[in-house]
Amino acid sequence: MALASTIDLNGIRVDHIGSLVRPEKLKQVFARYDRGRATQEELKKAQDEAIRDVIRKQQDHGLPIVTDGEFRRHGFQESFSECVSGFEVPNNVSLYYEKRDVNQNPLERAEQNFDEAGPAIVTRRPANERLKLIRNLPLEEFGFAQSVAKVPAKVTVLGLDRIAQRFKWETSRDVYKDLDDFVDHVVAIERRIIAQLVDAGCKYIQIDAPGYTAYVDKISLDRMRSRGEDPERNLQRSIDADNTLIEGFPDVTFGIHICRGNARTIDPRTGKLVPQWHREGSYDSIAERLFNGLKHRRLLLEYESDRAGGFEPLSFVPKDKIVVLGLISTKSSDMETVDALKRRIDQASKHLPLEQLAISPQCGFGGIDSKVLGEEEMWQKLDCAVKSAAEVWS
C-alpha cells in the first residue's frame, strides 16, 4: 500500500461519493441471482469484471482516487446491513426493491413506508438478537479494488446516525435496553470493520451519513418526536458516536458525506432523469455544531440544489478541514458546465478559503433499485468535475 501513502489524500480536489452507474450486464446477473437463477460464483465473476472495467475508466478519466462503484451492493446501506446478523428481516428481502411503493412524481419529496417489512436500515427493522459481525464487506471491496487500481482506492462505511434512525428500538427493548445501548454496540462492531480496513492498508474511508439532514427537516423531526425521541439528544449522540468510530486511526483520511437523499425519477413528459429528495432544509441551524463537532477531515456536502441553502454556514468549518462541494447533480440529465461550477466555487470561497475546498457530485450515481443516468452521462459529469478542479486549483 505504499502507493496511497505517497499521495496527500486530504488535498485531493476532485472526488466522488462512491457508487457509480453499473453496467447493464451486471444488473442482469444481479437480478437473476436475487431470483435464485444465478450462482454466487456467477455473480462474483460479473462483479469482478465490472469493477476492473470501472476502475480503469475512473483512472482514464483522471480521477485521483477510485472506488469499486459499490458494485457488490444493492445499495450503500449494505456496507453495514450485510456485515451483521441479528436484524429481523423477511425472507427474499432482495426482491423488496422491485415491489416497494415509492412516490415517482418528478420534483417531489419521495416518501416511503419505513415500517414495512424490508431490508434492515432501508426500512426500520427491530433486532431479534444482539447484532454480530459475520462479514466485512467493505474489506472485501477494498482488497479487490486496490489490487487492480493504480491509484488509491477508498471505501464507504455507513454512519451511526443512519443506522440508529432505521433501528426499531421501541420493539427491541428485550435485546437493547435503549438507543444508547444499541449505538454503543454498533460503534464497537464498526470499529472492528474499520480496524481491519486500516490493517489492510486502506488510507481513505468515507462515512456515509445522510441522516444528519433529518435535523433540519420538519417531517423527520416530527417523526423522531412521535417515537418519544429527543432530536437534540439524537444529534449529539450521533456526533459523539461518529467521532468515537474514527478515533485512534491517525494515518487514515476520514471523510463524511451528508446529503438530503438521492431519490430520482423519470419525467414522463421529457423522458429525462429529474430529482426527487427525502429531506429539505439548509445547514444553517446545525452547521456550527456539526462542522465543529465532527472530527472528520473531509466534509462532503450536498450543494447542488436550493434545498441546501447558501454557502454562509461554511464559515463555521475549522481550518483543518476540507469541504468537498457536491455541486454536480447525479439526479438530473441536465449537464453542468465548467464555467458554472467555477462560479459556484468562487461563491463558496467567500466563506471558506479556496485551499479548504474541493468538488464532487452531490451523491452517488448508482443504486440497483434506482432510476439512474446513462453511463456516458455520468462520465461526462465526472469529466466536468475533473476539468473544473484542474482550472480552479491548477
Side-chain angles (χ1 to χ4, degrees):
M1 295 300 107
L3 174 67
S5 65
T6 64
I7 296 176
D8 177 13
L9 297 173
N10 291 315
I12 288 176
R13 299 300 179 184
V14 60
D15 209 336
H16 71 76
I17 303 305
S19 69
L20 297 168
V21 176
R22 65 190 67 202
E24 188 60 34
K25 179 180 177 181
L26 178 58
K27 290 174 66 174
Q28 292 174 1
V29 177
F30 237 124
R32 287 170 42 222
Y33 176 78
D34 287 342
R35 294 178 179 84
R37 298 172 186 168
T39 66
Q40 179 70 51
E41 291 74 20
E42 289 173 316
L43 177 60
K44 184 178 184 303
K45 181 180 178 181
Q47 290 168 333
D48 289 353
E49 179 181 312
I51 290 167
R52 286 192 187 94
D53 185 59
V54 82
I55 286 177
R56 177 185 58 77
K57 287 178 178 176
Q58 288 172 81
Q59 294 169 166
D60 289 348
H61 284 263
L63 290 162
I65 193 160
V66 299
T67 73
D68 71 347
E70 298 182 2
F71 286 177
R72 301 193 193 278
R73 313 178 190 179
H74 289 87
F76 73 99
Q77 295 167 129
E78 288 188 354
S79 65
F80 183 73
S81 63
E82 285 295 297
C83 294
V84 297
S85 64
F87 283 115
E88 181 184 297
V89 294
N91 294 327
N92 299 322
V93 71
S94 58
L95 298 179
Y96 161 86
Y97 297 102
E98 296 181 9
K99 298 182 291 184
R100 68 173 177 166
D101 182 22
V102 179
N103 171 30
Q104 294 292 325
N105 295 331
L107 305 175
E108 290 185 4
R109 189 182 183 104
E111 291 290 356
Q112 72 177 81
N113 178 9
F114 293 111
D115 290 319
E116 67 182 324
I121 310 186
V122 176
T123 57
R124 293 189 75 240
R125 305 306 303 153
N128 51 29
E129 63 179 1
R130 291 183 75 84
L131 303 185
K132 296 178 183 176
L133 181 65
I134 58 173
R135 178 188 183 190
N136 191 338
L137 177 59
L139 179 64
E140 297 169 22
E141 294 170 328
F142 171 74
F144 185 81
Q146 194 62 80
S147 74
V148 299
K150 297 178 180 178
V151 299
K154 76 171 180 178
V155 292
T156 63
V157 175
L158 192 59
L160 276 299
D161 190 81
R162 169 48 58 90
I163 298 170
Q165 285 188 22
R166 300 289 174 83
F167 172 55
K168 206 165 189 176
W169 60 269
E170 62 271 30
T171 62
S172 305
R173 288 176 175 169
D174 56 336
V175 179
Y176 291 99
K177 62 182 180 180
D178 54 26
L179 264 177
D180 288 337
D181 184 22
F182 176 75
V183 168
D184 287 347
H185 191 208
V186 172
V187 168
I189 291 172
E190 288 211 309
R191 279 185 62 83
R192 290 172 60 193
I193 291 172
I194 289 172
Q196 291 172 11
L197 280 165
V198 175
D199 287 346
C202 188
K203 296 294 185 181
Y204 184 179
I205 298 173
Q206 174 186 300
I207 305 300
D208 283 329
Y212 278 119
T213 54
Y215 300 102
V216 301
D217 178 69
K218 183 181 185 303
I219 292 175
S220 301
L221 291 170
D222 288 345
R223 285 173 177 158
M224 290 183 209
R225 296 185 181 106
S226 73
R227 299 192 295 262
E229 299 170 16
D230 176 3
E232 289 295 309
R233 174 74 184 101
N234 282 359
L235 175 58
Q236 191 59 51
R237 181 198 297 113
S238 293
I239 292 172
D240 293 342
D242 272 324
N243 286 338
T244 301
L245 191 63
I246 67 173
E247 186 177 2
F249 303 106
D251 297 326
V252 177
T253 291
F254 284 98
I256 189 162
H257 171 232
I258 299 169
C259 75
R260 290 160 185 75
N262 204 23
R264 54 229 159 160
T265 191
I266 301 297
D267 187 338
R269 298 171 303 168
T270 65
K272 291 185 176 181
L273 191 74
V274 292
Q276 296 177 300
W277 54 89
H278 291 297
R279 286 170 300 282
E280 302 175 51
S282 70
Y283 296 105
D284 296 65
S285 63
I286 60 171
E288 184 172 10
R289 191 171 177 183
L290 194 64
F291 298 165
N292 277 283
L294 291 171
K295 296 180 180 179
H296 306 66
R297 291 291 302 279
R298 291 172 73 83
L299 306 177
L300 297 99
L301 305 180
E302 175 189 301
Y303 258 118
E304 105 294 4
S305 77
D306 293 341
R307 286 182 302 283
F311 292 122
E312 290 80 4
L314 297 183
S315 63
F316 291 112
V317 175
K319 293 182 178 180
D320 63 343
K321 298 185 190 299
I322 298 290
V323 168
V324 185
L325 300 168
L327 297 175
I328 295 169
S329 177
T330 65
K331 303 191 291 184
S332 173
S333 297
D334 294 339
M335 288 293 161
E336 294 78 9
T337 67
V338 170
D339 287 344
L341 292 176
K342 288 167 65 177
R343 285 194 296 272
R344 293 279 280 156
I345 294 168
D346 181 64
Q347 292 167 4
S349 71
K350 303 295 191 296
H351 305 279
L352 193 67
L354 199 59
E355 59 267 24
Q356 284 184 255
L357 295 174
I359 187 174
S360 77
Q362 107 286 346
C363 202
F365 285 97
I368 202 165
D369 63 316
S370 304
K371 305 291 192 301
V372 296
L373 290 164
E375 288 185 75
E376 289 307 312
E377 290 178 304
M378 176 185 72
W379 293 119
Q380 186 175 340
K381 284 175 176 269
L382 287 172
D383 285 343
C384 190
V386 169
K387 185 174 181 182
S388 298
E391 293 192 11
V392 170
W393 290 281
S394 300

